[in-house]
Amino acid sequence: MKGIKMFLNKACIIAGLIFLLTSCNQNKEYSISEPVNQNQALQDLYINDINECKFFTAQLSVSKNRDSLEFYYLKARNSFKKVEPILSFHDINNYNFLNAPNILKVEEEDLTDIKINNPQSFQTLEELIFTDQLDVESIHKTSNIIASRLELLSKNSDLSYYQPYHILWMVRKQILRTATTGVTGFDSPVLENSLDDAVTAFAKTEQILSLYSSKFKESPLENRWHTHFQKAKTFLQSTDFNHFNRYEFITNHIDPFLKLWTATAKDWKVDFPMELAIKNEAASLFSNETLSLEYFAKTTQLSSSDSQVALGKQLFNDSNLSSTKSISCATCHIEQLAFTDGISKPIGLTRNSPTLTYSAYQQGFFYDKRAGSLEGQIVSVINNSNEFHSDLKSFTKAIETDSSYVNQFKTAYNVTINQQSVRKAIADYVRSLNEWDSKWDKNIRGEQNDLTVSEINGFNLFNGKAKCATCHFAPVFNGTVPPDYMDTEMEHLGVPEIAVISNGRIDPDLGRYDVFKTENRKHFFKTPTIRNIELTAPYMHNGVYQTLEEVVDFYNRGGGYGIGIIDQEYQTLPAQPLNLTQDEMNDIINFMKTLTDARFIN
C-alpha cells in the first residue's frame, strides 16, 4: 500500500509538472524553412530554458523530504545544463555564480577591496542534498537565491545584437568546456553526473547551431555537425564516469569538432573582430596553435621574433647583470631540469623553484600570485635582496654598458635599452618555452601512435576517478580554468612541513595570506603545471616530496586531511581518500611522464 501511495504521489508531481511546463511559453521548434529572426529564436530558446530551470529550482525551496529534493534537483540541474551553452557565453559572471564550486570564494583586488562569499550554486545544492544529513533550511535558502538569480536573467537578457561569430564562439566554448571540465567531474563533485550533463549540453548546442542553418553555404557541412554530435552523444552514453575513455573522446570527437568549427567559420565567411583565449584557427586541443599568448599577456601587440627570443635568453643566462655578478635567472631555472633547480628551496629563499615551461599561460605569477604578469615577476626577482639584489634601473644600466647588448636591442626591438624593453626581452624568452611536442601531444594529435595502455589509462584516471583534472586543467594541466582562462586557481592542499603519512603538521608558509592578510587565504598556493613534471622534483611549494610516488600517495590519502592535518578548515581537497590501487597510481605517474617536452629527452 505504501509503495502504491508513493507511486501515485510521484505520478501526481510529474503530471503537474507536465501541465505547468506545457502551459507555459515552451521552447519553439524552428524549422529551416520557417522565416524567423534567428536571434529572436535564440532568445526564446534561452528564456524558456531559464524559466524551466527556475521552476524546478523553486520547487526545491518548498520541498522537505529526500525523494522530492533529489527529484527536483536532478530536474533543475538538467535544465541548467540546457541553459549553460548560452549563459556561460552571454553572462559569464552569472554563470560562474550559479556553477561555483562549493568552497569559500575570496576576491582580492587590493587591501581596500576584499570580498568573501559563501557559494550559493548548483554545486552547493548537490553537496547539501546528496548527503546523509539533510540541512533543509540551507537547501531552501540556496534554492531561493538561485531561483531569484534565474528570474533576473529571464527578464534582463538581450541576444538581439549577436553576430555569426558570437554563435560560433558560443558553440566552440561549450565543446571545449565539455572536454576540459565537463567530463572531469569538476562541477558534479558528488554525483559524478558529468557524462549525462555533457549529453544534455551537446544536444542544446546542436539545437543552437541549427537555428543558424541558413548560414551554411555548403550543406554537407551542416550534416557533418549533426553526425558528429550524434556520435559524441552516443559515446558519452556508452559507459559510466570511472570507465569513460577521455583520451578517445578527445581524439575521436573533440578535435574533429574543432576542425569542423574552423571549416564552418570559413564557410560562413566570418570575420572575427578579435581573438579570445582560444585562437580562431585552433584545430586541436593540444597544440601551440590552440592558446593565444597575446590573450595571456593582455596585449594585441605581442611579437616574438627569433632575435628577440635569443636576446631574452642571453639576458636570462647572464650572471654579470646581478649585483654580485654571480647569479642569473638560470641559476634557479636550469634548462636541463625544465627550468627548475633540483633542490627543495634555493639558498636564501623560502619556496621551491617552479618550472618556467608553459608559465606564460597563467593569470598570476609566483606561488602566491603577487605578480600579475611575467614582466612584473621579472621586476620582483630583480628587486629581491636574496636573488639579484638590485633594482630595474641598475639592472638596465649594467646592460647599457655592454655594446653588444646595445646593438642587439636595436636589431631585435628597434629601441634603445630601457627598463621596459629589458623586462620585455626576458619575458618574451620565457613565453617561448612552450613546445607542445611531448609524447602525449604528438599522440593525441595523431602524429604518432606509441602511448601504452598504462599511459592512456593514467590520463583517464587523472581526468576521472583521481580528480586531478579538477585542479590541473587540460591542455596546460595547470590551474588556469578553461574555456575562458580568466583565472588561475589557488588551493589549500594541507601540504605538510615534512613528508609523513600520519600526524602531519602544516607547513608554516602562509602563502597567499602574506599578500593581503586575508585570514581565509592562509596556506593557499597557485596550482602549477604538471607538464615536464618528471624533471621538476622535488615537488610542492616547499619541495617536501622527492618523488612522484610520494605526491600521488599524498593525494590518494586525501591530502592534508588524510595525513592528520585536520585543524585547517579551508582545505580545498575532499577529506575522503581516492582509493586508488597501486596499479592505478602507477598509471597516473606513467601518464604524467608522457608530458615531457622533446627538448629535454636525450
Side-chain angles (χ1 to χ4, degrees), residues 484-522:
D484 297 293
Y485 299 93
M486 294 173 63
D487 180 48
T488 299
E489 290 188 339
M490 307 188 78
E491 307 287 345
H492 180 354
L493 305 177
V495 175
E497 186 175 23
I498 58 174
V500 294
I501 59 173
S502 62
N503 301 314
R505 184 170 59 190
I506 194 73
D507 185 82
D509 190 336
L510 296 178
R512 178 68 177 182
Y513 171 82
D514 289 333
V515 179
F516 289 117
K517 307 300 180 187
T518 306
E519 191 71 20
N520 315 85
R521 277 297 178 260
K522 284 184 176 178

Side-chain angles (χ1 to χ4, degrees), residues 316 318-333 341 345-354 356 366-367 370 376-391 395:
F316 185 91
D318 193 342
S319 59
N320 289 321
L321 302 178
S322 66
S323 62
T324 61
K325 300 189 183 302
S326 61
I327 65 170
S328 68
C329 302
T331 303
C332 295
H333 299 283
D341 59 8
K345 300 171 188 174
I347 296 173
L349 299 180
T350 60
R351 293 172 186 161
N352 179 257
S353 296
L356 296 183
F366 294 110
Y367 279 110
R370 65 183 182 271
Q377 182 180 38
I378 290 162
V379 173
S380 183
V381 169
I382 291 170
N383 290 341
N384 192 319
S385 60
N386 291 317
E387 295 181 90
F388 278 79
H389 193 56
S390 183
D391 58 75
F395 187 82

Side-chain angles (χ1 to χ4, degrees), residues 532-548:
N532 296 307
I533 197 169
E534 183 179 12
L535 304 174
T536 62
Y539 305 105
M540 304 300 191
H541 68 271
N542 58 353
V544 67
Y545 294 124
Q546 299 298 311
T547 67
L548 288 174

Side-chain angles (χ1 to χ4, degrees), residues 179-367:
T180 55
T181 62
V183 297
T184 67
F186 174 72
D187 59 0
S188 186
V190 178
L191 295 177
E192 295 181 343
N193 204 38
S194 304
L195 305 188
D196 287 340
D197 287 346
V199 171
T200 301
F202 270 4
K204 184 57 60 174
T205 306
E206 182 179 11
Q207 188 178 4
I208 291 166
L209 193 60
S210 72
L211 297 179
Y212 295 83
S213 59
S214 63
K215 301 292 182 186
F216 286 95
K217 311 296 185 299
E218 190 181 319
S219 57
L221 203 56
E222 185 179 10
N223 294 333
R224 284 169 58 197
W225 274 106
H226 176 71
T227 300
H228 277 312
F229 273 121
Q230 294 310 306
K231 287 181 178 179
K233 286 184 283 186
T234 299
F235 189 75
L236 286 161
Q237 293 170 316
S238 65
T239 187
D240 60 28
F241 180 83
N242 283 334
H243 296 94
F244 185 64
N245 191 328
R246 291 157 179 88
Y247 175 75
E248 188 175 341
F249 183 58
I250 291 171
T251 54
N252 292 350
H253 300 282
I254 298 302
D255 275 6
F257 265 133
L258 290 175
K259 291 177 175 62
L260 184 55
W261 188 92
T262 57
T264 302
K266 292 177 182 177
D267 181 64
W268 288 14
K269 294 182 169 51
V270 171
D271 183 17
F272 293 100
M274 58 184 288
E275 213 161 46
L276 305 179
I278 306 295
K279 292 182 179 180
N280 293 322
E281 296 79 22
S284 172
L285 181 57
F286 292 87
S287 166
N288 62 357
E289 296 302 320
T290 302
L291 294 172
S292 167
L293 287 171
E294 287 82 359
Y295 174 86
F296 289 93
K298 300 177 178 64
T299 179
T300 58
Q301 302 293 321
L302 187 64
S303 62
S304 298
S305 65
D306 290 344
S307 60
Q308 290 168 346
V309 171
L311 173 56
K313 181 176 182 179
Q314 186 173 340
L315 293 168
F316 185 91
N317 288 278
D318 193 342
S319 59
N320 289 321
L321 302 178
S322 66
S323 62
T324 61
K325 300 189 183 302
S326 61
I327 65 170
S328 68
C329 302
T331 303
C332 295
H333 299 283
I334 302 167
E335 182 171 356
Q336 293 82 354
L337 297 178
F339 297 92
T340 60
D341 59 8
I343 58 179
S344 295
K345 300 171 188 174
I347 296 173
L349 299 180
T350 60
R351 293 172 186 161
N352 179 257
S353 296
T355 180
L356 296 183
T357 59
Y358 302 88
S359 63
Y361 304 111
Q362 301 179 89
Q363 303 290 358
F365 296 82
F366 294 110
Y367 279 110

Side-chain angles (χ1 to χ4, degrees), residues 39-89:
N39 287 359
Q40 185 60 53
L42 185 69
Q43 175 97 6
D44 290 347
L45 190 70
Y46 182 45
I47 299 304
N48 283 314
D49 286 337
I50 289 175
N51 286 336
E52 179 184 284
C53 187
K54 180 185 66 175
F55 172 81
F56 287 123
T57 305
Q59 296 307 304
L60 279 170
S61 66
V62 295
S63 300
K64 295 182 179 180
N65 67 74
R66 183 179 295 277
D67 283 349
S68 294
L69 289 168
E70 290 182 358
F71 173 80
Y72 283 120
Y73 173 79
L74 292 173
K75 289 291 186 180
R77 169 73 179 184
N78 182 261
S79 296
F80 180 67
K81 282 295 166 179
K82 295 178 186 177
V83 173
E84 180 178 83
I86 299 177
L87 175 60
S88 64
F89 179 79

